[in-house]
Amino acid sequence: MKIIALELLTANLEETAAFYHKKMGLAVLSFNKSTVSFAAGSTKLTFRYSKNTKAVYHFAFDIPNNKLFEAFDWMEKEVEILDVIPQEKIADFYNWDAKSFYFYDNNGNVVEFIARYCLDNTSDAAFDGASIVSVSEIGFVAKDVSAFSEELFAKYTLSVFSKQPKLEKFIVLGTDTGLFILSAENRNWYPTDTKCQSFGTKVVFEHNGIINEMEVK
């Protein structure tokens, strides 16, 4: 699975444009009164203005798997990298064959840079915003996670990620190149105390050669 386009909500377009362009170095594709869009590798990342919605999401950017520490040093100049455990800022997902780090954006979104060692995406270029490979994860929140996962399987044939056991309140669907992170309401988005809540999300994704569009309001 691959995430082709992702649209999220924000209460401040100008601050969001400044964060993702100036701090993260993403190229701006378009910017108007209602939306701002960026090139996040192969993914088009869009934020839509919503005045009365304080939306908070979790999503992840894939980075070249030989650039984790270079990316860490690059982002640490712009943001505070979050602890995953006391005094440790690198998460080791050994069962996923991946390592990552986390930070907040201007909206309070829990943003992750993740290096997946099973993918062939190494780079010789110095790390910057243009090094980002794609948006590879987006979190969705549901009251009944199991029922929601069954709904997505029935509609899109999405199956449980082979590297993550299915849990009652946490299920991951997809493949190494694209994942839907399904969480129950009011869990914490790892590694923070930010509570999982559902907000408007649109995603265009490719799965088994078919382009799908999904919207959660």
Side-chain angles (χ1 to χ4, degrees):
M1 187 174 83
K2 294 182 179 180
I3 297 173
I4 298 170
L6 177 64
E7 183 178 302
L8 309 173
L9 301 178
T10 178
N12 194 316
L13 276 179
E14 290 192 0
E15 284 186 3
T16 301
F19 183 92
Y20 283 89
H21 181 55
K22 295 181 180 179
K23 290 184 179 292
M24 281 187 52
L26 300 186
V28 178
L29 298 176
S30 64
F31 188 12
N32 55 50
K33 292 182 179 180
S34 60
T35 63
V36 58
S37 296
F38 308 93
S42 62
T43 305
K44 180 181 179 182
L45 174 62
T46 298
F47 289 89
R48 180 171 295 278
Y49 178 64
S50 180
K51 181 179 180 181
N52 298 315
T53 303
K54 179 57 177 174
V56 176
Y57 304 88
H58 163 62
F59 50 98
F61 296 95
D62 263 16
I63 58 173
N65 59 29
N66 62 330
K67 293 291 180 176
L68 179 70
F69 295 104
E70 189 176 333
F72 183 102
D73 292 341
W74 191 77
M75 282 306 303
E76 192 176 33
K77 298 173 184 176
E78 303 292 344
V79 298
E80 179 183 354
I81 308 298
L82 303 177
D83 285 350
V84 293
I85 57 175
Q87 298 184 334
E88 178 58 62
K89 297 179 182 292
I90 299 291
D92 185 357
F93 298 107
Y94 57 89
N95 55 322
W96 289 27
D97 194 19
K99 292 184 179 181
S100 71
F101 62 88
Y102 297 81
F103 54 91
Y104 291 117
D105 74 357
N106 64 292
N107 301 290
N109 294 318
V110 181
V111 182
E112 179 182 7
F113 274 17
I114 184 165
R116 304 178 196 273
Y117 299 108
C118 61
L119 299 181
D120 182 14
N121 63 7
T122 59
S123 173
D124 294 328
F127 187 88
D128 61 16
S131 303
I132 288 171
V133 176
S134 67
V135 175
S136 59
E137 299 177 14
I138 175 61
F140 292 101
V141 180
K143 291 182 179 179
D144 187 332
V145 173
S146 182
F148 186 41
S149 70
E150 292 297 329
E151 177 186 334
L152 296 183
F153 174 77
K155 190 169 185 179
Y156 305 111
T157 68
L158 294 176
S159 57
V160 174
F161 183 40
S162 61
K163 298 178 180 179
Q164 176 60 50
K166 184 177 179 180
L167 304 174
E168 180 183 358
K169 296 185 178 182
F170 183 80
I171 298 174
V172 181
L173 304 180
T175 66
D176 286 295
T177 53
L179 297 169
F180 290 169
I181 311 296
L182 312 185
S183 174
E185 290 180 337
N186 294 317
R187 288 180 73 255
N188 292 347
W189 285 125
Y190 178 84
T192 75
D193 58 4
T194 299
K195 298 298 181 183
C196 301
Q197 297 181 48
S198 183
F199 297 98
T201 308
K202 292 182 183 180
V203 60
V204 179
F205 62 99
E206 181 272 328
H207 178 58
N208 289 338
I210 299 172
I211 305 297
N212 304 280
E213 182 172 337
M214 184 173 79
E215 181 173 4
V216 175
K217 295 183 179 180

